[in-house]
Amino acid sequence: MDKAVDNMEAIIFAAGSGPKTGPDKTTAVDKNGAIQLVDASKKKGFERFVMLNSVGSDNPEQAQEEMRHYLEEKHDADEHLKASGLAYTIVRPVTLTNEQAIGKIFADEKVDHTDKSIPRADVAPSLPNLSQRKKRSIKHSRYSPAPSQSRWP
């Protein structure tokens, strides 16, 4: 992992094992991969880390059984990042889709995520901008206010 962070300007963890893998791959990628990248980033002297995670990873015990392991692994990665001493932003989008971008997001500390989704194409462009943001967690919702009212914490 040390070589992966060589010559980088910012670190963004946006990997995931995917919905069709087993618990072993979820642990290897979503937890251990994230933890290894956090550690390598700290070792190389990075000051900031952006973690793309999942809505619900802040309270995995409240998840339905089929999502619990995934969210527990994501939660553990978040907790490791928080304890690392790095400045960080954790992004917890609602359900990601492959739909065409709509060109806006709503971001806040708390978002009612029930039955909401957002295109990956709207989340991805927001991540590089977060490398300069303050420490915080952000949840995304595709149901955003008009652009003039949008907030980006």
Side-chain angles (χ1 to χ4, degrees), residues 33-146:
I35 288 172
Q36 290 172 12
L37 189 57
V38 167
D39 292 347
S41 299
K42 187 172 181 177
K43 184 177 174 182
K44 290 287 184 171
F46 281 89
E47 295 179 6
R48 252 209 84 71
F49 195 101
V50 176
M51 176 84 76
L52 177 62
N53 210 314
S54 175
V55 70
S57 63
D58 52 340
N59 293 307
E61 65 281 353
Q62 295 178 2
Q64 294 179 352
E65 184 62 35
E66 64 271 8
M67 289 295 292
R68 192 162 298 134
H69 177 73
Y70 169 77
L71 293 175
E72 286 171 346
E73 302 304 83
K74 291 290 198 180
H75 173 79
D76 290 351
D78 282 354
E79 293 304 307
H80 185 79
L81 174 58
K82 290 176 186 178
S84 71
L86 294 169
Y88 62 85
T89 301
I90 298 171
V91 180
R92 296 183 177 124
V94 295
T95 302
L96 295 170
T97 70
N98 293 322
E99 294 174 10
Q100 188 171 358
I102 58 175
K104 58 185 175 180
I105 62 171
F106 173 80
D108 208 341
E109 293 287 333
K110 297 287 181 189
V111 172
D112 175 13
H113 64 323
T114 309
D115 299 323
K116 291 187 175 64
S117 62
I118 187 167
R120 285 175 174 83
D122 282 321
V123 175
S126 69
L127 299 176
N129 297 329
L130 296 173
S131 66
Q132 304 302 316
R133 300 283 175 181
K134 295 179 189 174
K135 181 189 294 188
R136 61 187 335 156
S137 295
I138 297 174
K139 297 179 184 179
H140 287 278
S141 170
R142 80 173 300 171
Y143 303 100
S144 46

Side-chain angles (χ1 to χ4, degrees), residues 15-33:
S17 61
K20 296 182 179 167
T21 63
D24 57 329
K25 292 287 186 192
T26 300
T27 299
V29 175
D30 297 275
K31 178 182 175 180
N32 296 339

